Amino acid sequence: MSAPDDLASAVRDEAAAIEEDRQEGTPERAKPVGLGPVGWMRWTWRTLTSMRTALILLFLFALGSVPGSIYPQRGVDPSRVAQYFKDNPTQAKWLDRFWLFDVFSSPWFAAIYLLLFISLAGCVFPRALAHLKEIRRRPPAAPRNLLRLPHSEAFEGGLTLEQAAAALRRRRFRVVTGDGWVSAEKGYLRETGNLLFHVALLALLFAIGAGGLFGYRGNVLVVEGDGFSNAVAAYDRFMPGSRVTAESLEPFSFTLKDFQASYVAAGEKQGQPLDYLAKLSVQDSPTAAPRDVDLKVNDPLDVNGTLTYLIGHGYAPTFRVTDGKGQVAYDGPVPCLADDQATYTSECVIKVPDAQPTQLGFLVRFLPTTVPNGNAWVSVFPGAANPTVQVFPFGGDLGLKSGQPQSVYQLDTTNLKPLGTMSAQPTPLNVGETKELADGAGKIQFTGVKEWISLQITYDPGREPALLAAAAAVIGLVLSLTIRRRRVWVRVKDGKVTVGGLTRTEGGGAAFAEEFAQIVTALRGDQPTRDQGGDPSHGDQGGGEPDEPASAGHVAPDAPTGNAAPGARPDEE
């Protein structure tokens, strides 16, 4: 082997040895350490309580409420839900799997609600603690060169630190003094208003949740002379919260003694309603003495927080039905629904399943103020000035034993036959008149007219807290939008006064510029002032040193009156 070959071999051997030594001395690359349970919990909490997550949950909360207004809800109108299943069975089955007929009681909506509540709480409470520390913190010391600040001015004068501090205190600044400087800060209520707004939103969510859990709402129709007891069985429709039981209802009762509706009698506005008044005899508890209450629209009956609202009214003509065997099969009022709100022409149904030898059913048209119109009869006024009824009788099987639910305001004539000749405009019956039925099926007598009212009874323990929270949210929003956080510093050295200002609010520079100019003017003493003895004193109009040094008693015209004691904390914005 030649010398060059020996040299190359030696170099290769040396390089191999160096590489082997390097690999032996290099430790294995460490595997990344996992977060662990605590780390994952901390990451989850920080993600959940971030402002981005709160905004996403708020958007999902609003988006999740949309199906509740599109599809009928079981808690509001179960009959419409049943009709939806009948009309669209396949689609309804899939919608029901996702709780779209029970949106506001569904697990996914409750999850969004709870996560939003936790997210807001996690956002607000740490900020509140930080703000409490911030408002207790003293204003920072003055910078060395105030002329570099966005708002600054220098002038010659005999102003002292005490006079500067007193002038800023009169303008409700929080003031501290140091070696040759005064520092003042104002506008702490801006962040306070921001926090108040978010805390109010949190309280509003809590109040709505409490109302949904412990509140209830129901509707009932009451005819004149009848009564109502606040029990579940007495409601026509009852929508309780998930934590409401039969014992939760306030045990009050009332009787509808009279209902009066007044209308415009003549003129262009004839027939328009003027007032509705329901006269009730109310017992706040089973052992309480009755009291008379006038119930009006938007003036509810309040019994220990349970509110009863007057929401509607109508007519309930009274009838006596005698069957073919001479027995009185029906005697009482029948609530009618208005078909024409202008004249209160109404329609109602009478079902007499106990009539013999055949069941009877009647379609009734009620005319409050009846006048002839050619071969027809019409009502021309909503008040019961000349009440009549047109009766359409039927006989046969009413279908009440079929198991299918029926509305009391509809008559299924599938298995019924007309009793006598039917006419679109039968001769109306006046009060006291009787109509004989064909085929010996009996007779029906129009005995009088009553009125009914529909009521909504609600109990919502979160109603007043929600109102207070909404008001607090508005106040907090106003404070956060109108108040500006700003700082002012004053340095006094060898007769030279330097004033600097800084606003900590974006977009508040223009407004602060005007305020800063007023502060400088007050410190220069250029505006007329009045000393404690009442003699006017004018400063040097040339902007130089004032004739007299400004004292704590000199007040600028645009500054609040009153002198703050040194070291005292004035009221702040």
Side-chain angles (χ1 to χ4, degrees):
M1 183 178 298
S2 62
D5 294 337
D6 292 341
L7 182 59
S9 178
V11 170
R12 286 195 299 270
D13 292 342
E14 184 67 20
I18 293 173
E19 179 65 21
E20 183 178 354
D21 292 341
R22 188 185 66 80
Q23 291 180 356
E24 289 179 355
T26 302
E28 263 185 47
R29 179 178 296 178
K31 295 182 179 179
V33 179
L35 290 177
V38 176
W40 279 110
M41 291 175 62
R42 185 182 294 112
W43 177 84
T44 302
W45 174 253
R46 288 178 178 175
T47 303
L48 179 61
T49 56
S50 66
M51 185 59 66
R52 177 183 298 178
T53 303
L55 292 175
I56 292 174
L57 289 172
L58 190 61
F59 173 75
L60 291 177
F61 184 77
L63 187 64
S65 303
V66 173
S69 60
I70 295 177
Y71 300 106
Q73 301 296 295
R74 284 193 177 92
V76 177
D77 196 347
S79 61
R80 287 188 60 194
V81 176
Q83 186 64 35
Y84 198 99
F85 269 87
K86 184 177 179 180
D87 297 338
N88 306 280
T90 304
Q91 183 180 359
K93 183 178 179 181
W94 280 100
L95 292 175
D96 200 30
R97 289 180 179 179
F98 295 99
W99 300 73
L100 295 184
F101 296 118
D102 301 276
V103 169
F104 303 106
S105 59
S106 63
W108 57 266
F109 190 84
I112 295 175
Y113 182 90
L114 291 176
L115 288 174
L116 177 60
F117 188 88
I118 295 172
S119 180
L120 284 177
C123 290
V124 170
F125 289 144
R127 288 182 60 188
L129 295 177
H131 182 58
L132 289 176
K133 295 179 181 179
E134 178 70 17
I135 61 178
R136 296 173 62 88
R137 187 177 302 165
R138 302 175 64 183
R144 290 183 178 275
N145 191 351
L146 298 181
L147 296 178
R148 292 182 177 179
L149 295 177
H151 305 274
S152 60
E153 189 166 343
F155 59 90
E156 301 289 336
L159 184 70
T160 64
L161 293 179
E162 291 75 12
Q163 293 169 350
L168 291 172
R169 285 194 182 99
R170 286 195 297 270
R171 290 180 170 272
R172 307 175 74 86
F173 278 85
R174 179 182 294 183
V175 177
V176 294
T177 57
D179 185 13
W181 54 264
V182 176
S183 178
E185 190 166 4
K186 188 178 183 181
Y188 291 91
L189 281 184
R190 176 183 176 83
E191 179 63 18
T192 302
N194 194 8
L195 287 174
L196 178 62
F197 174 75
H198 287 87
V199 171
L201 287 183
L202 197 62
L204 185 61
L205 285 176
F206 184 81
I208 294 174
L213 288 174
F214 301 100
Y216 62 87
R217 183 173 75 252
N219 296 87
V220 64
L221 184 146
V222 182
V223 180
E224 284 179 322
D226 293 345
F228 168 79
S229 295
N230 192 28
V232 175
Y235 283 93
D236 298 328
R237 186 175 66 179
F238 185 65
M239 293 158 283
S242 58
R243 306 296 296 178
V244 174
T245 62
E247 291 76 17
S248 304
L249 276 63
E250 190 71 25
F252 70 93
S253 61
F254 59 81
T255 300
L256 177 59
K257 298 165 58 177
D258 185 31
F259 177 78
Q260 300 172 1
S262 56
Y263 306 91
V264 177
E268 295 181 357
K269 297 183 179 180
Q270 178 180 345
Q272 290 190 7
L274 290 174
D275 191 23
Y276 301 121
L277 174 63
K279 294 184 176 294
L280 306 179
S281 177
V282 182
Q283 280 187 283
D284 295 340
S285 67
T287 59
R291 59 187 178 98
D292 292 334
V293 175
D294 291 341
L295 182 65
K296 293 186 176 183
V297 178
N298 297 327
D299 187 12
L301 167 67
D302 187 351
V303 180
N304 296 329
T306 302
L307 302 178
T308 302
Y309 292 90
L310 175 63
I311 60 174
H313 76 102
Y315 288 102
T318 59
F319 298 90
R320 180 181 291 113
V321 178
T322 306
D323 63 16
K325 294 186 176 182
Q327 302 294 324
V328 176
Y330 181 87
D331 189 4
V334 181
C336 295
L337 299 181
D339 185 53
D340 183 0
Q341 293 292 332
T343 63
Y344 260 82
T345 299
S346 307
E347 295 181 352
C348 44
V349 169
I350 306 174
K351 298 179 183 180
V352 192
D354 298 329
Q356 296 294 332
T358 181
Q359 294 181 344
L360 299 176
F362 301 89
L363 295 175
V364 177
R365 181 185 295 125
F366 176 75
L367 307 172
T369 302
T370 311
V371 296
N373 183 20
N375 295 326
W377 286 267
V378 295
S379 177
V380 295
F381 191 73
N386 181 29
T388 64
V389 294
Q390 294 176 312
V391 179
F392 305 85
F394 295 85
D397 183 11
L398 295 174
L400 299 179
K401 297 182 180 180
S402 64
Q404 295 294 329
Q406 293 187 13
S407 171
V408 296
Y409 300 105
Q410 293 180 347
L411 181 64
D412 185 3
T413 60
T414 304
N415 300 317
L416 299 175
K417 65 176 183 177
L419 296 177
T421 303
M422 283 292 177
S423 171
Q425 288 289 334
T427 303
L429 300 178
N430 293 307
V431 176
E433 293 184 346
T434 301
K435 179 181 181 66
E436 296 289 340
L437 305 180
D439 302 331
K443 60 183 178 180
I444 179 171
Q445 182 183 14
F446 177 32
T447 58
V449 179
K450 292 185 176 181
E451 294 189 70
W452 58 261
I453 60 173
S454 59
L455 305 169
Q456 184 177 79
I457 301 172
T458 64
Y459 174 69
D460 186 1
R463 180 174 58 92
E464 292 184 358
L467 177 62
L468 294 177
V474 173
I475 294 174
L477 188 62
V478 171
L479 291 177
S480 64
L481 292 178
T482 58
I483 294 178
R484 306 176 308 279
R485 187 81 176 269
R486 58 268 198 205
R487 289 172 177 172
V488 175
W489 293 278
V490 180
R491 280 189 175 275
V492 178
K493 184 178 181 180
D494 299 331
K496 182 179 180 180
V497 180
T498 309
V499 186
L502 178 67
T503 177
R504 301 183 62 187
T505 305
E506 294 183 4
F512 180 65
E514 181 179 355
E515 182 182 15
F516 182 78
Q518 295 174 357
I519 293 173
V520 172
T521 300
L523 294 176
R524 290 170 64 102
D526 287 341
Q527 298 294 330
T529 59
R530 185 175 297 274
D531 61 14
Q532 295 178 352
D535 295 332
S537 177
H538 298 276
D540 183 5
Q541 301 302 316
E545 192 171 343
D547 296 337
E548 293 183 8
S551 66
H554 291 89
V555 182
D558 55 349
T561 58
N563 299 325
R569 176 179 295 178
D571 296 333
E572 301 162 354
E573 289 185 7

